[in-house]
Amino acid sequence: MTASTDIHVLGGSGGAKAAEPPKDPLWGETAHRATINGTEHLFIPMSEPLLMLPSGDDELHQLPRLRWTAVHNSTTNGAVAGYLVEVSRDEYFVYIELSIRTTDPALALRDLPFGLYYWRVTAIYSEPTDQRGPSSWTHQFKFFNAAPVFWIWDPLHVDERRETVLNLSRYITDPDTDRENITLDSESPAVRAIDNLSITVYFPNPVDLVLIAFALDDCYSRRGFHLPLNVRNVNDPPVIVSIGGLTPPVTLLVEEGSFQWFDVVVEDLDGDKPKMDLFSTWRGVYLTADGSLGVRAQYERLGQFQARLEAVDNQRALTSAENTIVVYNVDDPPGNIEVHAPRNRSVHKELDSILFMVKVNDPDIIWGDVLWITWTSNISGQLMTTSTTDIATFYINDLPVGNHRITINVTDMEYVKSTHIDITVVERTTTQDPEPEVPGGIPPYIIMLLVIMPMLGYYIGVKGVLYDKRG
């Protein structure tokens, strides 16, 4: 008898005269002279619970919460002290998997492996202690893993020649496994990488519909699926691969006064033939008919110049590359040597102070070159070495008597220019002090002009060249 069943006190046996007609038995009036309005006590035995959920042959993906009806206390065995729940893999309960006592008419199952289970409930009464009532009928349920499910309605869109990451978790369901415990794998050549439930795909060409095979595994079940994709055609801009064999942006070194050409390699993944344009404020750079980059570096026009190369495809997708052209100085040999003192074939007396003066030039002086000058006598050896960018002078008064060939070497440390003069040193015939002479026989005002005028000319020339460079 379940606890949900109502129990009423019925009319009991009553004392009535035998001659009186029988009345409603509920009022104790019977043919047996029952006393009117008496009471009758009912006997409530130990009862078996009625199993409710799960019922029948249920197939479950999660362990259930068992429910049954509570039963009344017994008039013989006292109050219901609890319920014994037993779960077994066999219907005869030879090997009991789970045996738990509870006071509530329900029990949530935990930690059972997958399988077919039978269960029953027995009420436990207080008198005598832990007296078991009759066991309920047996119910069964099947607990098994639910495989992951992938469901998608429309194809996903990706672009050609682009690595695209697709998160598939929103399309995956599993009633008994969290997404974090589901693994995804694929052997498709289009799949570049897998990260949990995300895949990275790459397609070199557009495709209207392609199916990517993959599998989902929740540690118990593994199922295969297909991901539909639409690979869209994308116009890619041209790519300037190299200029002169270098990857842009590039710096091109060009000698002054030279003509050079640099191959330009341009690719377009869509098969277009890009149009090339060149933009620069410097007139020394241009595009040739075959698409090469030409550079015409003028003599003595040194410096850095900028040029931007652009490539545009048929759909006006544009790419550009910045270029720096460096025109650098090429070393030129020194120019002619002008010997201003002493005069060639001049005669000097012993112990005279002799002035040596030369004027030199070199196109690279304005770019910082310095010339080194060495005077050497065939009799005395090296007389002097000094550096200059214009005029060099020195005095000497100890040349020995004889015919001297003075060799003058001028070098910029790469090239050497040479010349020579001949002078004669004769013995002094008197011990008196020699009369003052102009060194080398050159009037003083000539010496001043030789010193001042070249310096002034050099200054004006440098200013003019630098002005022309800035132009």
Side-chain angles (χ1 to χ4, degrees):
M1 180 174 292
T2 67
S4 61
T5 302
D6 293 334
I7 299 178
H8 299 282
V9 177
L10 304 180
S13 301
K17 295 180 179 179
E20 292 180 355
K23 294 187 178 181
D24 190 343
L26 295 179
W27 289 94
E29 294 176 333
T30 67
H32 303 287
R33 300 178 61 82
T35 304
I36 194 169
N37 292 331
T39 60
E40 181 178 352
H41 295 279
L42 300 179
F43 169 70
I44 302 177
M46 293 188 296
S47 305
E48 67 179 55
L50 300 179
L51 304 185
M52 298 174 63
L53 295 175
S55 61
D57 299 327
D58 293 347
E59 294 185 351
L60 307 174
H61 302 309
Q62 294 181 343
L63 286 171
R65 179 180 175 84
L66 305 180
R67 293 180 59 189
W68 57 91
T69 59
V71 297
H72 276 293
N73 297 330
S74 171
T75 55
T76 303
N77 297 96
V80 176
Y83 301 92
L84 179 65
V85 181
E86 295 175 298
V87 179
S88 175
R89 284 184 177 272
D90 66 277
E91 58 181 326
Y92 301 107
F93 289 85
V94 176
Y95 302 102
I96 296 178
E97 193 81 17
L98 181 67
S99 178
I100 297 179
R101 181 169 172 174
T102 178
T103 58
D104 298 324
L107 176 66
L109 296 182
R110 298 285 187 273
D111 302 325
L112 285 179
F114 296 125
L116 175 64
Y117 292 98
Y118 300 88
W119 67 290
R120 65 186 181 185
V121 178
T122 303
I124 305 296
Y125 292 88
S126 59
E127 296 179 9
T129 304
D130 293 338
Q131 175 64 43
R132 294 190 182 187
S135 297
S136 67
W137 289 89
T138 300
H139 279 188
Q140 70 181 33
F141 63 88
K142 185 178 182 182
F143 172 48
F144 67 98
N145 175 68
V149 175
F150 176 79
W151 176 254
I152 188 171
W153 183 258
D154 295 317
L156 300 180
H157 299 284
V158 297
D159 295 334
E160 63 169 335
R161 296 189 298 274
R162 301 284 191 278
E163 284 196 353
T164 306
V165 179
L166 302 174
N167 187 348
L168 304 185
S169 61
R170 71 186 70 180
Y171 310 107
I172 298 172
T173 58
D174 192 315
D176 55 8
T177 305
D178 294 334
R179 288 191 179 95
E180 291 78 9
N181 298 323
I182 299 175
T183 58
L184 182 152
D185 64 84
S186 174
E187 297 182 357
S188 171
V191 176
R192 292 286 183 89
I194 297 176
D195 183 12
N196 295 327
L197 298 180
S198 295
I199 62 174
T200 301
V201 296
Y202 175 86
F203 296 90
N205 300 301
V207 183
D208 289 337
L209 180 64
V210 62
L211 299 177
I212 301 298
F214 68 96
L216 296 176
D217 193 327
D218 65 356
C219 299
Y220 296 101
S221 300
R222 177 183 174 87
R223 293 184 61 184
F225 302 94
H226 288 89
L227 172 65
L229 296 177
N230 168 247
V231 184
R232 297 176 295 198
N233 181 27
V234 178
N235 178 54
D236 289 285
V239 177
I240 301 177
V241 179
S242 64
I243 301 173
L246 302 175
T247 302
V250 300
T251 298
L252 306 175
L253 304 179
V254 182
E255 294 181 354
E256 62 170 330
S258 67
F259 297 88
Q260 294 192 39
W261 292 266
F262 301 93
D263 292 332
V264 178
V265 178
V266 181
E267 294 180 354
D268 192 298
L269 297 177
D270 300 308
D272 297 340
K273 185 176 182 180
K275 176 186 175 183
M276 305 296 296
D277 288 308
L278 184 67
F279 301 90
S280 178
T281 58
W282 182 49
R283 296 182 180 180
V285 62
Y286 58 92
L287 280 174
T288 64
D290 63 355
S292 298
L293 189 67
V295 177
R296 181 185 295 107
Q298 297 181 7
Y299 185 70
E300 294 187 353
R301 291 292 303 274
L302 309 182
Q304 292 188 1
F305 307 94
Q306 302 298 321
R308 185 176 75 256
L309 186 65
E310 291 187 353
V312 183
D313 67 9
N314 297 339
Q315 300 186 45
R316 304 194 66 80
L318 179 145
T319 189
S320 64
E322 298 297 330
N323 305 276
T324 301
I325 299 100
V326 178
V327 180
Y328 62 90
N329 178 53
V330 177
D331 193 28
D332 294 297
N336 293 328
I337 304 171
E338 300 178 19
V339 180
H340 294 294
R343 292 194 307 269
N344 188 30
R345 301 184 184 280
S346 60
V347 178
H348 305 269
K349 293 181 180 181
E350 186 180 11
L351 302 179
D352 278 352
S353 182
I354 303 172
L355 170 65
F356 287 82
M357 177 186 293
V358 296
K359 184 179 185 301
V360 295
N361 66 84
D362 189 305
D364 302 312
I365 287 177
I366 61 174
W367 311 120
D369 273 14
V370 175
L371 300 178
W372 289 88
I373 306 170
T374 302
W375 289 264
T376 305
S377 168
N378 63 326
I379 296 176
S380 302
Q382 182 173 314
L383 305 180
M384 174 62 71
T385 297
T386 187
S387 63
T388 185
T389 58
D390 185 31
I391 293 175
T393 63
F394 75 97
Y395 288 88
I396 191 169
N397 59 7
D398 59 353
L399 286 180
V401 175
N403 295 319
H404 293 262
R405 169 155 285 192
I406 306 300
T407 301
I408 304 167
N409 291 326
V410 179
T411 180
D412 60 0
M413 306 309 290
E414 182 175 355
Y415 298 101
V416 178
K417 191 89 170 187
S418 298
T419 190
H420 69 272
I421 60 172
D422 294 316
I423 63 172
T424 301
V425 178
V426 298
E427 291 183 0
R428 185 173 292 278
T429 58
T430 176
T431 59
Q432 298 177 355
D433 292 338
E435 296 180 0
E437 294 184 3
V438 177
I442 302 175
Y445 72 91
I446 296 296
I447 295 176
M448 292 297 295
L449 289 175
L450 289 173
V451 172
I452 296 174
M453 293 304 293
M455 295 177 62
L456 180 60
Y458 170 73
Y459 173 76
I460 295 173
V462 171
K463 294 290 286 185
V465 170
L466 295 178
Y467 179 79
D468 184 58
K469 286 290 288 181
R470 289 194 297 270

